């Protein structure tokens, strides 16, 4: 991972210090630091299960992603945050493998702003569909076609605990400036909601740009559906 610095928070259990959370964020100043290098710095702590992993606003190489999927200590993750880490240039097979590994424990998955392209989506759908404990899923600001979004929503049919989820506006609703054309987007969003309700009943869902340029709503607010136009 390029341009990262490590922040850690430790929790204490009995007489031993156990690392429960590892956060690596980009400061755009420090030298290149790979995920493997960060984990080697924490080799002793990472012999214990990690519950929270945040790698944000940096750059992951394909070997970094493979490294993540292979660490035994990541098999019990509850929270995974890769927000604003560009993933469009790498294979997501390893991310899919990681999701399969943590499917029984993962509660929060944040892939906001990762620039994931719809052609990559199939690599993570099987793993995502098995994350039965997932309560929060952020997937906004990715590059998705209407068909890809429908496929994604159908693969969430078994995620009955989802209480907050966000998705991008489909590519078909964007104008030449990559901004949402609300006249096109509104019926497409209704179609997406119909697709979702065919497989499960959503609780809080936000589809489209955030914050909404029309009403100012954002996914962090207490809203059931984002329905303004």
């Amino acid at each position: 991972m390029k341009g990262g610095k490590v922040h850690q928070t430790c929790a204490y259990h009995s007489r031993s210090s156990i690392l429960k959370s590892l956060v690596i964020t980009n400061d755009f100043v420090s030298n290149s630091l790979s995920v493997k290098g960060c984990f080697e710095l924490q080799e002793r702590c990472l012999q214990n299960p990690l519950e929270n992993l945040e790698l944000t606003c940096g750059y992951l190489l394909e070997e970094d992603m493979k490294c993540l999927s292979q660490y035994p200590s990541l098999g019990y993750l509850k929270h995974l945050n890769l927000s604003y880490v560009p993933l469009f240039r790498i294979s997501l097979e390893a991310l899919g493998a990681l999701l399969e590994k943590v499917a029984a424990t993962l509660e929060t998955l944040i892939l906001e702003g990762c620039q994931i392209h719809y052609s990559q989506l199939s690599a993570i759908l099987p793993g995502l569909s098995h994350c039965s404990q997932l309560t929060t899923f952020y997937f906004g600001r990715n590059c998705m076609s209407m068909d890809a979004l429908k496929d994604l929503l159908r693969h969430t049919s078994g995620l009955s605990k989802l209480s907050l989820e966000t998705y991008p506006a489909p590519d078909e609703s964007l104008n030449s400036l990559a901004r949402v054309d609300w006249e096109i987007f509104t019926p497409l969003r209704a179609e997406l909601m119909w697709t979702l309700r065919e497989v499960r009943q959503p609780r809080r869902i936000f589809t489209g740009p955030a914050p909404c340029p029309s009403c100012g709503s954002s996914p962090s607010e207490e809203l059931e559906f984002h329905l303004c136009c």
Side-chain angles (χ1 to χ4, degrees):
M1 183 174 183
K2 299 180 180 178
K5 65 179 180 181
V6 180
H7 305 275
Q8 69 179 51
T9 59
C10 290
Y12 292 89
H13 178 69
S14 298
R15 295 182 179 179
S16 61
S17 175
I18 302 175
L19 186 70
K20 292 291 186 69
S21 177
L22 179 61
V23 181
I24 306 172
T25 58
N26 187 22
D27 61 3
F28 299 103
V29 176
S30 56
N31 295 326
S32 294
L33 185 62
S34 70
V35 166
K36 184 177 180 181
C38 289
F39 282 3
E40 285 174 348
L41 289 175
Q42 305 295 338
E43 183 176 1
R44 180 179 177 185
C45 290
L46 285 170
Q47 292 174 2
N48 301 299
L50 201 65
E51 293 183 357
N52 179 54
L53 178 63
E54 297 184 31
L55 308 173
T56 62
C57 301
Y59 293 89
L60 280 175
L61 303 177
E62 196 155 330
E63 63 187 42
D64 292 327
M65 190 63 75
K66 289 180 180 178
C67 175
L68 289 178
S69 67
Q70 293 168 0
Y71 265 90
S73 58
L74 299 184
Y76 300 93
L77 277 180
K78 291 184 177 180
H79 310 286
L80 176 61
N81 182 357
L82 299 179
S83 56
Y84 296 97
V85 173
L87 299 177
F88 64 95
R89 291 182 177 177
I90 67 174
S91 168
L92 297 187
E93 296 292 337
L95 177 57
L98 177 59
L99 292 178
E100 288 277 11
K101 179 185 290 189
V102 302
T105 58
L106 194 66
E107 298 174 5
T108 302
L109 177 60
I110 303 179
L111 299 176
E112 183 88 8
C114 292
Q115 302 176 42
I116 296 172
H117 191 264
Y118 56 82
S119 61
Q120 301 171 283
L121 192 61
S122 61
I124 65 172
L125 288 182
L128 175 65
S129 67
H130 294 151
C131 293
S132 58
Q133 303 303 308
L134 201 65
T135 62
T136 303
F137 178 41
Y138 276 53
F139 195 71
R141 300 181 186 275
N142 288 295
C143 306
M144 293 289 118
S145 67
M146 189 67 175
D147 286 344
L149 283 172
K150 285 183 176 182
D151 196 20
L152 172 58
L153 293 174
R154 292 188 185 108
H155 274 81
T156 67
S157 61
L159 309 185
S160 60
K161 294 187 177 182
L162 266 180
S163 59
L164 176 59
E165 49 198 305
T166 74
Y167 303 98
D171 288 352
E172 291 87 343
S173 66
L174 306 182
N175 60 26
S176 59
L177 299 177
R179 295 177 179 173
V180 170
D181 182 322
W182 289 89
E183 186 174 350
I184 298 174
F185 175 56
T186 300
L188 292 182
R189 181 171 52 194
E191 188 175 342
L192 289 172
M193 289 303 303
W194 183 80
T195 298
L196 181 56
R197 287 191 176 113
E198 281 190 315
V199 296
R200 65 176 171 85
Q201 186 61 38
R203 298 176 188 175
R204 284 185 295 157
I205 183 169
F206 193 104
T207 304
C212 172
S214 178
C215 70
S217 298
S218 67
S220 62
E221 297 175 15
E222 294 294 326
L223 75 166
E224 183 177 3
F225 299 107
H226 176 216
L227 295 175
C228 71
C229 59

